């Protein structure tokens, strides 16, 4: 496991975060659980819509590199929305709200949210 | 991913984690970075979940993802999850789900439900250990009293092991990457050894948010897949996160 320069001696004095390993602070948001589930993420998604769209696009590009015909994306956009109503409440409603707020296809937001299970494939 | 729960000499509990994701999902040779990892970084947000205008729990999330990978129920418990690979994997759980057998829980919805509803470390531990899942996982859980820290190794159906802090054995921290703690990690992906070396070098007397950040900033614990680092201190209800970069030369994972 000792393969410098890819591994290094234990770092010290790295805190507070700064320098080349620190890419930025993280913004705080509030999600009000008293709101209807489909409305909870609106503030977050309004701010992060463009980043979400480009991340989904990166996954689509990856999928199309495996299946150039685009059939994989078609399957996601056509079939995954059928799964959303089988997901437990309130997550299904929150996912629908995110698709609504971001303009990203519902199937693609579902895929993003079940990616952990899918990725084990 | 690397997650750890540590107890200092005064019984304070700290929880830290690097969220690494995007392996084999497109390599940008020009920038020597993983494509998905880089597109995830701008999506990192900290979220304060409230009810009746009071904090219920706090988390570090990817915007658009409603499940939980990293969170704190202030003054009660802290929770992170790391990916676990197994042939009996999530694709089997998804197939069962599609075929109508829906007695398991999607991993990130379970962690969200535990953070939102569990009111103690023991309750959280029981739910994480006993709920049937669609995919295997490691849950790393810290409590609010001395000795309350553990790594729960889960298959889809069973809790294979719960590895706890143990003062008598001088186990003042538990650390999990992505391999069962009773087995050696894959030799090409051993982030456990360097992380433990740095924890042992730090020693319990010096453990703190700062020194945990040092451990999580040491290559290859910090690598090209690392999107963010989160540090949590349950007694203060404190969660702080930082988006990371790993300057070259740096391990791809």
């Amino acid at each position: 496991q000792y393969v410098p320069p890819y591994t290094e001696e234990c770092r010290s004095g790295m805190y507070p975060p700064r320098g080349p390993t620190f890419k930025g602070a993280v913004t705080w948001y509030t999600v009000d659980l008293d709101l209807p589930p489909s409305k909870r993420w609106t503030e977050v998604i309004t701010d992060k819509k463009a980043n979400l769209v480009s991340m989904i696009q990166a996954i689509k590009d990856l999928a199309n590199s495996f299946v150039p015909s685009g059939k994989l994306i078609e399957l996601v956009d056509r079939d995954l929305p059928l799964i959303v109503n089988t997901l437990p409440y309130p997550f299904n409603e929150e996912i629908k709200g995110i698709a609504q707020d971001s303009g990203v296809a519902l199937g693609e937001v579902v895929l993003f949210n079940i990616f952990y299970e899918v990725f084990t494939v | 991913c690397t997650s750890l729960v540590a107890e200092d000499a005064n019984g304070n509990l700290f929880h830290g984690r690097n969220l690494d994701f995007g392996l084999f999902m497109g390599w940008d040779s020009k920038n020597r970075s993983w494509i998905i990892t880089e597109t995830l970084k701008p999506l990192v947000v900290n979220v304060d979940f409230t009810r009746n205008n009071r904090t219920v729990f706090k988390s570090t999330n990817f915007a658009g993802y409603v499940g939980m990978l990293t969170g704190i129920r202030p003054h009660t418990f802290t929770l992170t999850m790391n990916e676990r690979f197994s042939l009996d994997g999530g694709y089997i759980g998804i197939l069962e789900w599609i075929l109508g057998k829906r007695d398991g829980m999607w991993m990130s919805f379970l962690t969200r439900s535990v953070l939102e509803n569990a009111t103690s470390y023991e309750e959280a531990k029981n739910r994480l250990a006993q709920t049937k899942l669609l995919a295997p996982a490691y849950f790393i859980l810290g409590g609010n009293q001395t000795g309350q820290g553990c790594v729960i190794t889960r298959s889809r159906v069973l809790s294979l092991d719960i590895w706890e802090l143990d003062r008598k054995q001088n186990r003042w921290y538990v650390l999990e990457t992505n391999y069962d703690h009773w087995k050696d990690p894959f030799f090409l992906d051993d982030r456990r050894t360097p992380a433990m070396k740095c924890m042992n070098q730090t020693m319990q007397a010096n453990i703190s948010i700062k020194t945990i950040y040092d451990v999580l900033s040491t290559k290859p614990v910090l690598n090209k897949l690392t999107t963010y680092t989160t540090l949590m201190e349950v007694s203060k209800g404190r969660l702080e996160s930082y988006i990371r970069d790993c300057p070259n030369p740096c391990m791809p994972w």
Side-chain angles (χ1 to χ4, degrees), chain B residues 10 13 35 70 72 100 112 116 127 136-137 140 153 173-174 188-189 213-214 237-238 240 245:
Chain B
N10 304 314
L13 285 156
I35 293 170
T70 304
I72 182 171
R112 162 83 184 267
E116 198 167 326
R127 287 195 58 189
I140 301 89
T153 301
Y173 70 90
V174 286
L188 281 179
D189 180 25
Y213 188 78
D214 289 340
R238 177 181 172 190
E240 51 189 75
D245 245 354

Side-chain angles (χ1 to χ4, degrees), chain B residues 108-124:
Chain B
S108 67
F109 297 160
L110 172 61
T111 47
R112 162 83 184 267
S113 173
V114 165
L115 279 161
E116 198 167 326
N117 303 300
T119 55
S120 72
Y121 169 80
E122 288 305 330
E123 180 187 349

Side-chain angles (χ1 to χ4, degrees), chain B residues 13-166:
Chain B
L13 285 156
F14 300 97
H15 194 145
R17 81 105 94 243
N18 276 354
L19 192 294
D20 302 355
F21 192 76
L23 184 62
F24 303 145
M25 295 176 71
W27 176 255
D28 175 348
S29 48
K30 184 161 72 73
N31 296 305
R32 281 191 278 175
S33 61
W34 294 104
I35 293 170
I36 296 296
T37 306
E38 295 308 308
T39 56
L40 281 171
K41 288 180 184 178
L43 287 173
V44 178
V45 292
N46 285 331
V47 184
D48 183 358
F49 288 84
T50 64
R51 192 168 274 130
N52 303 321
N53 288 319
R54 290 167 55 88
T55 294
V56 176
F57 69 99
K58 296 189 263 191
S59 73
T60 305
N61 267 56
F62 294 117
Y65 188 81
V66 305
M68 294 300 131
L69 305 172
T70 304
I72 182 171
R73 189 146 174 133
H75 316 294
T76 309
F77 63 85
T78 52
L79 172 58
T80 58
M81 71 72 52
N82 288 9
E83 181 154 23
R84 182 169 186 261
F85 303 102
S86 160
L87 281 180
D88 180 12
Y91 56 98
I92 295 176
I94 291 178
L95 274 179
E96 285 184 354
W97 188 276
I98 290 171
L99 298 174
K101 189 166 185 287
R102 294 176 186 154
D103 56 347
M105 260 199 104
W106 301 83
M107 178 284 302
S108 67
F109 297 160
L110 172 61
T111 47
R112 162 83 184 267
S113 173
V114 165
L115 279 161
E116 198 167 326
N117 303 300
T119 55
S120 72
Y121 169 80
E122 288 305 330
E123 180 187 349
K125 187 163 81 165
N126 290 333
R127 287 195 58 189
L128 294 166
Q130 293 164 18
T131 306
K132 183 180 176 189
L133 293 169
L134 266 67
Y138 299 104
F139 295 118
I140 301 89
L141 182 67
N144 60 6
Q145 293 164 45
T146 178
Q148 288 189 336
C150 67
V151 174
I152 302 169
T153 301
R154 283 299 311 269
S155 70
R156 288 194 314 114
V157 182
L158 302 171
S159 173
L160 299 177
D161 178 80
I162 299 182
W163 182 41
E164 307 213 59
L165 295 179
D166 185 338

Side-chain angles (χ1 to χ4, degrees), chain A residues 115-116 119, chain B residues 1-3 16-25 34 36-38 40-41 44 60 62 69-70 80-85 175-179 189-192 194-195 215-230 242-246 250-253:
Chain A
F115 207 79
Y116 179 77
F119 188 61
Chain B
C1 298
T2 301
S3 287
R17 81 105 94 243
N18 276 354
L19 192 294
D20 302 355
F21 192 76
L23 184 62
F24 303 145
M25 295 176 71
W34 294 104
I36 296 296
T37 306
E38 295 308 308
L40 281 171
K41 288 180 184 178
V44 178
T60 305
F62 294 117
L69 305 172
T70 304
T80 58
M81 71 72 52
N82 288 9
E83 181 154 23
R84 182 169 186 261
F85 303 102
L175 186 142
E176 176 56 57
T177 55
N178 298 98
Y179 300 94
D189 180 25
D190 180 5
R191 286 163 283 115
R192 178 201 295 168
V215 173
L216 295 174
S217 299
T218 302
K219 297 173 187 173
V221 183
L222 178 72
N223 55 73
K224 285 292 186 185
L225 288 170
T226 308
T227 55
Y228 67 79
T229 296
T230 293
Y242 303 98
I243 298 172
R244 302 311 301 265
D245 245 354
C246 191
C250 173
M251 287 291 272
W253 56 75

